[in-house]
Amino acid sequence: MDFDANDLVDPVRYATNGRPYSLWARMRRETPVARCEPDGYAPFWAITRHADIVSISREPERFSNASGITLLRRDEPDFQRGVRAIVNMDPPDHGPYRAVGHRWFIPRNVRSLEDTVRSLVRELLDGIAARGATKIDFVHELATALPLRMICGLLGLPAADEPFALRIANEAFGSDDPEMKRAEGGREALVVEIFGYFMRVLADRRSAPREDLLTLIATAEVNGKPIPDLEALSYAAVILGAGIDTTRSALGSGIVALLEHEEQLERLRKDPSLIPTAVEEILRWTVPANQMLRTATCATEVRGVPIAKGDTLALFYPSANRDEDVFDAPDAFRIDRKPNQHLTFGIGEHFCLGAGLARMEIRVLLEELLPRLRHIAPAGAARRIQTNFIVGYKEVPLEIELAPQGR
Ligand code: HEM
C-alpha cells in the first residue's frame, strides 16, 4: 500500500490537519503492520489494529519498554537513556516498582480524593460564574488548572511550585511546538532540571516524612532494599509528567467533541445518568497519548510479518479506538456507547496507573459543569498543540455563562 509515513508523525501536520484517521482506516484494512521510514525519525513498524496492540502490550518479554516509549528524531539525543521510570522498565523489575505507587492509585484512595477534586472544580467554576456572561480559554482555566493542582497536591508540592510544574510539563510534551518548547538545552537539560528539583524534595521527605506520594517514593523499599536515587527521581518525574498533560488534553479535546456534537451534549445535559458512559466515549474519542513504542527483544512476527530483533513498533491507540472489528460505527461519537473497549490508557503490563484518577477528574468536571451551564459556545478557533505525542489543544476559546453554585 502506498502512503506517506510523514502523515503518521509530522507534528506540523497534526497541528494543522488533526489526526490521520482516514490513513489509519486504510492501513487497518490493507497493511496493519506497516514499515515506516518518515523523514527525520528512526524507522518503525506502525501497528494499527486493536487486536494487535492488545497482544503486543500483553507480551512485555517479547516487546520491551526498556529501550524507550517515545518516537525519537534522528538528530535528537535519546534523553530516555538516563531515566529509569516504571514505564521504561520490563519484568521482572517493573512489577515491584509499579507496586510502590500502585496502592496510592487504588479505587479506595481515588474515591477519597473525589471530594478534593469536587471542591477544586466548584472553586474554579464559581470564579467563572462570578464573571457573568464571559469568555474563557477552557484549556487554561479548567483543563490545565484541575490536573495541575491535583497532581501537585498528590505529590505534596506547595502551591508556589505549581507554575514550575506546569512549565516542566509544557516543555516535556510541547518540545515540537515553537510556543511551548524549552528555550535552551532541549530535553536533556529538562531532565537535569527536573531531577535537580526532585533531588532536593526527595531528600526533604527522607528527613521529614509527610503524608504524600513523594514521601512514599522517597522512603520505598524495593525487593527489600531502599529505592535507588535514579529510580526514585524517575518515578516522581513520570507522575508529574504523565498526570498533567494527558488529563488536560482529555478535558480540552472532550469539550471540543461535545460542542461539535451538540445533540450529544444536549442529551447529556438532560440525562446526567449518561455521564459514566460519556466519560469513556470522551476517552475513546480524544486519546491523549497518540502512541507508545515497543522494541522487539528477539526475531519474531506480528500478523505473519517478520520483525527483526531490535526493531521498533509504534502502537497507534487512536487507530485501535476506531477499529471496525471492535466498535460499531467507530466514527460516531456516542455518549451512551457500551461496551467501550478503548485503549486510551494502554493495556497489559503498563496499563495506566492514573486511569482511575483521570476518569474521576473528567466525571466530576462534567457532573459539576453541566447543571450550571446557561450558555456555552465556541468563541473562535481552538488551537492544537504541535506534537505527535500527547495530542490535544493548547487553547479552546469559549463563550460561557454559568449559574451560581447550587442553582
Ligand atoms: C486521560 C489521562 C491519561 C492518559 C490518556 C494516560 C495514558 C497512559 C498510557 C497510554 C499509558 C501506557 C504506557 C505504555 O503502555 O507504554 C500510561 C501509563 C502510565 N500512566 Fe497514564 N494516562 C493518563 C493519566 C495519568 C495520570 C493522571 C497519572 C498519574 C497521576 C498517570 C500515570 C501513569 C503512569 C505512572 C504510567 C506507567 C505505568 C507503568 O509503566 O506500569 N497517567 N498512561
Side-chain angles (χ1 to χ4, degrees):
M1 172 186 142
D2 229 19
F3 67 96
D4 180 356
N6 294 310
D7 284 338
L8 299 177
V9 297
D10 183 349
V12 177
R13 295 188 196 182
Y14 274 77
T16 321
N17 311 326
R19 283 174 157 137
Y21 278 111
S22 52
L23 172 57
W24 279 326
R26 228 160 31 94
M27 292 175 80
R28 283 195 301 277
R29 275 194 311 271
E30 295 175 30
T31 173
V33 181
R35 185 73 179 163
C36 297
E37 300 191 8
D39 301 336
Y41 288 86
F44 59 85
W45 295 94
I47 310 295
T48 45
R49 286 214 189 151
H50 191 283
D52 294 337
I53 295 184
V54 170
S55 60
I56 291 168
S57 305
R58 289 193 167 138
E59 281 196 77
E61 282 82 9
R62 205 152 54 110
F63 300 107
S64 151
N65 276 39
S67 299
I69 50 158
T70 63
L71 284 169
L72 274 186
R73 289 180 181 282
R74 286 178 192 277
D75 58 3
E76 199 178 35
D78 187 355
F79 70 98
Q80 299 170 99
R81 293 209 183 282
V83 178
R84 278 266 296 164
I86 53 170
V87 75
N88 305 108
M89 289 179 187
D90 293 328
D93 293 350
H94 176 251
Y97 278 98
R98 183 174 163 105
V100 170
H102 183 255
R103 63 190 164 95
W104 209 266
F105 292 99
I106 55 174
R108 183 159 44 86
N109 238 9
V110 171
R111 272 196 299 279
S112 74
L113 291 171
E114 184 165 332
D115 288 347
T116 315
V117 171
R118 200 173 294 282
S119 50
L120 200 52
V121 170
R122 284 188 181 157
E123 189 189 309
L124 294 168
L125 295 179
D126 288 348
I128 296 169
R131 281 149 48 190
T134 186
K135 286 193 178 154
I136 62 166
D137 170 13
F138 187 87
V139 173
H140 175 68
E141 296 204 33
L142 291 166
T144 305
L146 176 60
L148 176 64
R149 287 206 203 158
M150 277 314 293
I151 292 298
C152 289
L154 207 67
L155 287 169
L157 300 179
D161 288 0
E162 283 178 13
F164 165 81
L166 180 59
R167 176 172 66 76
I168 292 298
N170 280 341
E171 290 180 359
F173 295 102
S175 62
D176 284 320
D177 188 313
E179 289 174 15
M180 294 168 79
K181 72 184 213 188
R182 189 178 175 85
E184 271 170 33
R187 293 206 266 195
E188 276 189 317
L190 178 65
V191 172
V192 171
E193 186 181 2
I194 300 174
F195 278 14
Y197 172 80
F198 279 123
M199 194 82 120
R200 290 190 296 279
V201 183
L202 291 171
D204 169 74
R205 297 303 192 276
R206 282 184 188 127
S207 57
R210 301 190 201 165
E211 287 291 309
D212 60 28
L213 183 51
L214 284 177
T215 303
L216 184 83
I217 293 170
T219 59
E221 289 210 342
V222 179
N223 299 327
K225 295 197 192 108
I227 187 169
D229 279 345
L230 176 61
E231 281 72 1
L233 291 169
S234 305
Y235 220 124
V238 85
I239 303 265
L240 184 68
I244 299 173
D245 288 66
T246 48
T247 314
R248 160 171 67 188
S249 156
L251 294 170
S253 309
I255 201 76
V256 170
L258 287 168
L259 288 166
E260 282 175 350
H261 300 86
E262 260 179 279
E263 75 302 338
Q264 298 288 305
L265 175 58
E266 275 320 299
R267 206 176 149 204
L268 194 56
R269 288 175 71 173
K270 288 197 185 103
D271 184 359
S273 73
L274 291 171
I275 287 177
T277 48
V279 169
E280 295 310 308
E281 184 66 344
I282 286 172
L283 286 163
R284 181 184 78 91
W285 196 258
T286 63
V287 221
N290 202 57
Q291 72 282 316
M292 297 286 171
L293 301 195
R294 298 292 186 266
T295 303
T297 58
C298 55
T300 180
E301 55 82 30
V302 175
R303 210 171 267 278
V305 177
I307 308 281
K309 180 178 176 180
D311 276 4
T312 304
L313 299 88
L315 314 181
F316 284 106
Y317 300 119
S319 176
N321 283 2
R322 301 277 183 110
D323 191 328
E324 343 7 53
D325 286 349
V326 178
F327 301 98
D328 282 346
D331 295 324
F333 178 76
R334 293 182 177 162
I335 54 160
D336 60 352
R337 186 180 288 279
K338 208 172 179 179
N340 193 340
Q341 307 288 356
H342 65 74
L343 298 183
T344 294
F345 292 117
I347 192 160
E349 182 79 13
H350 293 276
F351 179 77
C352 177
L353 205 58
L357 176 62
R359 286 186 155 117
M360 184 263 279
E361 288 181 55
I362 302 169
R363 171 174 58 77
V364 171
L365 181 66
L366 291 176
E367 284 170 358
E368 293 297 320
L369 175 68
L370 296 178
R372 293 175 70 167
L373 274 181
R374 286 180 174 160
H375 171 71
I376 185 164
R383 293 171 65 231
R384 293 190 188 95
I385 302 172
Q386 189 168 302
T387 181
N388 61 25
F389 189 28
I390 305 301
V391 169
Y393 292 96
K394 57 184 164 189
E395 193 184 348
V396 176
L398 296 181
E399 290 171 6
I400 199 163
E401 187 176 356
L402 299 180
Q405 198 177 332
R407 294 225 204 127

